[in-house]
Structures are given as C-alpha cells and as structure tokens.
C-alpha cells in the first residue's frame, strides 16, 4: 500500500501546474496547435530538457509526438508546458521493444490528470515487434476518469485485467461524446462482448473501431453461434442506436 500511495502522489505532483489550475477560455480562432516532434530527442530527461529549452512555442495548444520516452521525461514536458502556460491537446507515443523507454504508468496518469480536459488525441502505437506497455489498473481508470473530450484513443488492453477502461457502469466511465476513432491493441480476454456492445451503442460519433487480437471469451472465439462476425454484430448494433457510419475492423498484430 505505501508503494501505491507514493506512485499516486508522484502523478499528482507532476500534474499540479499553474496551467491546470487556471481557467482557460480561448476562442476556436485562437486555438493554433504547435507540433512538437520529440522523436529522438527524449532518450533521457536531460536530453529532452535541452531540446525543449531550444525549441519554445508561442502557441497555447501543443501536439506531442514521441518514441522513446523513459521515466522522468513526462515531468520535464509537463513542467515546460506549465512554464509556457500551454495545454497538451494531442499526445502520440510510438513505443518500441525496450520496456524502459515506454511511457510509464505514473506518467500516463500525470498526463491525463493535468491535461485531460484538453486532450483530443491519446495514442500509444506499437512499433513492429514491440511488447505492450506495462500499464496498471489505475492508469486505465485515470484515463477514463480525467479525459473529457477525446476524439481519438489508441491503447493496449494487455494489462487492463479488471476491465476498467471500457466499463461504462463505473462511477466515472470513459466519456464517449466526442470519440470518433478507437484503436484497441491486445483486446484478448480483458474485454467482453457486452462492453463492446455498450461502447458502440453509446458512442454516437464513433466512425472507426479497430480491435487487435479480439479473441473474446474463454474459448478465444470471436464468431457467434449463428456465424455472424463480431464486426458485423457491432456495426449493426451501432446502426440500431442511430450510428450508421461506424466501421469495425478486426485485426491481428501482424496485419
């Protein structure tokens, strides 16, 4: 228990900034987004700090793209955003084969805690042959609780063993009002058909749902007894709920 408390305190500390505490009211015309491509510049927190010091943005909203992003880099990024009074609108992490360079669970929590009200894109995309990030239940729970206007969500469910991210019966479920695209890796047995049916029923703006390794149930079966594919079932359910534009794709990781 003390260890978990320490992790939560660290996430809250990283998230606590002047930007996250102030009320920001900005018109759509003022929402210029600055692209920060940090790929190759975040091998260490010090390397990232040097890069950000030399590449300052004058805009309020940032789109972040990363690959290697070891522990400590999120603290640097959030402190820099606080100094610039900026909001992170998009965060894309392309992770590779080495765990220590993955986005860590406490830092995912810090990101969504501090900038969840502004995040429209949260994507964790594996490179070829990359293992799944070792996220924890609280990471999935905080993502659902603190993101407010997500349009695009991409994440692995490998370690969502309590099935928290897509549990829409929770007190603070994932907000679906703005979601247009969801890409779920390692769906496996950590998701139920009931959760997916509820998802496509309530996500009225969802245009694309991609499920990797969607072997649902104890037998790893994604085909119903009537022979209809899972994709067809979900698309029909969405259409019944008034969404006739949803495209569901069932994929394997080597596709």
């Amino acid at each position: 228990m003390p260890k978990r408390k320490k992790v939560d305190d660290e996430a809250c500390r990283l998230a606590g900034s002047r930007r996250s505490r102030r009320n920001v009211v900005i018109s759509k015309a003022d929402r210029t987004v600055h692209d920060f491509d940090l790929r190759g510049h975040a091998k260490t927190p010090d390397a990232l700090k040097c890069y950000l010091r030399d590449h300052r943005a004058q805009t309020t909203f940032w789109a972040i793209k990363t690959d290697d992003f070891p522990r400590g880099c999120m603290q640097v990024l959030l402190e820099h955003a606080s100094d610039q009074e900026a909001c992170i609108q998009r965060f894309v992490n392309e992770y590779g084969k080495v765990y220590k360079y993955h986005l860590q669970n406490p830092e995912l929590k810090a990101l969504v805690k501090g900038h969840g009200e502004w995040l429209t894109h949260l994507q964790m995309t594996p490179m070829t042959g990359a293992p799944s990030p070792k996220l924890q239940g609280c990471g999935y729970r905080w993502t659902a609780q603190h993101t407010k206007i997500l349009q695009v969500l991409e994440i692995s469910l490998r370690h969502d063993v309590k099935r928290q991210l897509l549990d829409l019966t929770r007190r603070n479920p994932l907000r679906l009002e703005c979601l247009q695209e969801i890409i779920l890796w390692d769906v496996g047995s950590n998701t139920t058909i009931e959760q997916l049916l509820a998802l496509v029923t309530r996500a009225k703006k969802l245009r694309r749902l991609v499920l990797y390794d969607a072997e649902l149930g104890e037998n790893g079966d994604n085909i119903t007894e009537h022979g209809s594919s899972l994709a067809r079932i979900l698309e029909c359910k969405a259409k019944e709920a008034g969404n006739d534009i949803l495209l569901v794709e069932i994929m394997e990781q080597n596709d």
Side-chain angles (χ1 to χ4, degrees):
M1 290 300 294
K3 183 177 181 181
R4 176 174 294 182
K5 180 66 163 56
K6 181 178 180 180
V7 169
D8 288 349
D9 288 346
E10 175 72 2
C12 291
R13 186 183 69 80
L14 294 182
S17 66
R18 294 196 306 271
R19 188 223 55 82
S20 62
R21 289 194 295 267
R22 67 191 180 97
N23 293 323
V24 184
V25 180
I26 302 173
S27 69
K28 290 184 178 179
D30 296 328
R31 293 191 178 187
T32 303
V33 178
H34 179 81
D35 291 317
F36 262 129
D37 190 344
L38 304 182
R39 290 176 296 179
H41 301 291
K43 290 288 187 181
T44 65
D46 287 341
L48 178 59
K49 187 179 296 185
C50 291
Y51 180 81
L52 292 175
R53 184 180 59 211
D54 296 334
H55 296 78
R56 292 183 174 269
Q58 302 302 317
T59 58
T60 302
F61 291 91
W62 292 355
I64 307 295
K65 195 167 192 177
T66 68
D67 48 11
D68 293 339
F69 207 71
R71 191 158 192 162
C73 285
M74 185 62 74
Q75 178 180 353
V76 172
L77 178 61
L78 295 184
E79 288 177 351
H80 186 70
S82 175
D83 291 342
Q84 299 295 300
E85 296 192 334
C87 307
I88 298 176
Q89 188 177 71
R90 303 178 185 180
F91 188 87
V92 179
N93 175 239
E94 298 175 349
Y95 58 90
K97 296 182 179 181
V98 182
Y99 279 120
K100 74 174 183 178
Y101 290 127
H102 288 181
L103 182 67
Q104 303 294 309
N105 196 69
E107 302 192 321
L108 171 62
K109 292 170 62 178
L111 172 65
V112 297
K113 176 68 173 178
H115 293 261
E117 64 182 306
W118 303 108
L119 272 176
T120 61
H121 293 62
L122 176 59
Q123 295 175 259
M124 300 174 67
T125 308
M127 299 180 186
T128 302
S132 305
K134 293 181 178 179
L135 302 178
Q136 299 172 18
C138 52
Y140 296 105
R141 187 170 65 252
W142 281 42
T143 298
Q145 178 177 345
H146 293 292
T147 54
K148 309 299 183 183
I149 56 171
L150 274 183
Q151 298 175 17
V152 178
L153 173 63
E154 180 176 4
I155 196 169
S156 167
L157 299 181
R158 171 75 68 185
H159 300 287
D160 189 12
V161 295
K162 293 184 179 180
R163 302 173 177 174
Q164 298 183 81
L165 182 66
L166 299 183
D167 184 356
L168 303 183
T169 66
R170 296 182 62 84
R171 182 177 180 181
N172 296 295
L174 181 67
R175 297 197 179 191
L176 308 175
E177 295 90 344
C178 300
L179 272 169
Q180 300 177 23
E181 181 174 351
I182 304 177
I183 303 172
L184 300 175
W185 295 85
D186 307 302
V187 174
S189 60
N190 289 339
T191 306
T192 67
I193 184 64
E194 290 78 16
Q195 284 185 331
L196 294 176
L197 289 170
L199 173 66
V200 300
T201 300
R202 296 174 59 176
K204 303 296 187 181
K205 295 183 178 179
L206 192 61
R207 295 175 176 268
R208 184 170 181 246
L209 173 62
V210 183
L211 306 175
Y212 281 87
D213 296 332
E215 297 181 346
L216 306 175
E218 296 180 357
N219 298 323
D221 187 12
N222 65 4
I223 305 297
T224 69
E225 60 182 354
H226 300 294
S228 299
S229 69
L230 176 61
R232 178 62 177 166
I233 293 171
L234 295 176
E235 289 173 354
C236 289
K237 189 66 174 179
K239 191 171 183 178
E240 290 175 4
N243 180 3
D244 58 1
I245 61 174
L246 176 63
L247 173 65
V248 179
E249 303 172 46
I250 311 297
M251 312 285 286
E252 294 184 4
Q253 295 213 29
N254 57 0
D255 287 351

